[in-house]
Amino acid sequence: MAELTIGQEVPDFTLPASSGEDVTLSGFRGRKVVLYFYPKDMTEACTKEACSFRDSHPILEAKGAVVLGVSPDPVKSHGKFTEKYGLPFLLLSDEDHRVSEMYGVWQLKKMYGREYMGIVRSTFLIDEEGKLLKEWRNVRVKGHTEDVLAALG
């Protein structure tokens, strides 16, 4: 698992986005970034999380933050998810889970006695210079967006 330290520069990456373009994290320098990793499009908890960020998007923008969601789903799935729920932010496709591994969120999970590798729901708040301000790991969706808003000040 990757160790990220508060105040340290976060790993840069480029991934394909729901918009059809490739997006590079360092392209958002000068703005705060709410980078959230989630397991799967169209699932109950992931939909609640995405819709919570959607509903708070005007406040997040007013606080100078951009939201980026990352999951292993393909771009086509992200496009459907974005369209169905009117998501105003980009979803990035990490199909080979390279970026998820860099951030230490690709881990062994257990469900119904079965073990498998997958994304552990996590959020990283990155400052205007690309440094880690705060991280939330093993996120519970309820109240999470409010925690992120509070951290933005």
Side-chain angles (χ1 to χ4, degrees), residues 3-69:
E3 280 298 315
L4 298 177
T5 308
I6 303 295
Q8 178 185 36
E9 195 165 313
V10 298
D12 196 18
F13 61 82
T14 300
L15 287 174
S18 49
S19 60
E21 61 194 349
D22 284 348
V23 170
T24 301
L25 180 62
S26 59
F28 294 96
R29 292 278 162 86
R31 295 186 73 186
K32 288 187 176 113
V33 177
V34 175
L35 179 66
Y36 82 97
F37 290 83
Y38 66 100
K40 190 158 182 50
D41 291 341
M42 304 289 187
T43 57
E44 186 179 357
C46 295
T47 299
K48 284 181 180 172
E49 183 177 30
C51 290
S52 180
F53 279 126
R54 175 199 66 199
D55 295 346
S56 296
H57 197 256
I59 301 164
L60 289 158
E61 277 194 321
K63 291 179 180 262
V66 62
V67 176
L68 299 173

Side-chain angles (χ1 to χ4, degrees), residues 108-124:
L108 184 66
K109 297 172 76 172
K110 293 179 186 182
M111 187 185 296
Y112 306 120
R114 194 176 125 246
E115 289 188 342
Y116 61 98
M117 294 300 288
I119 286 184
V120 173
R121 189 181 313 279
S122 303
T123 301
F124 300 89

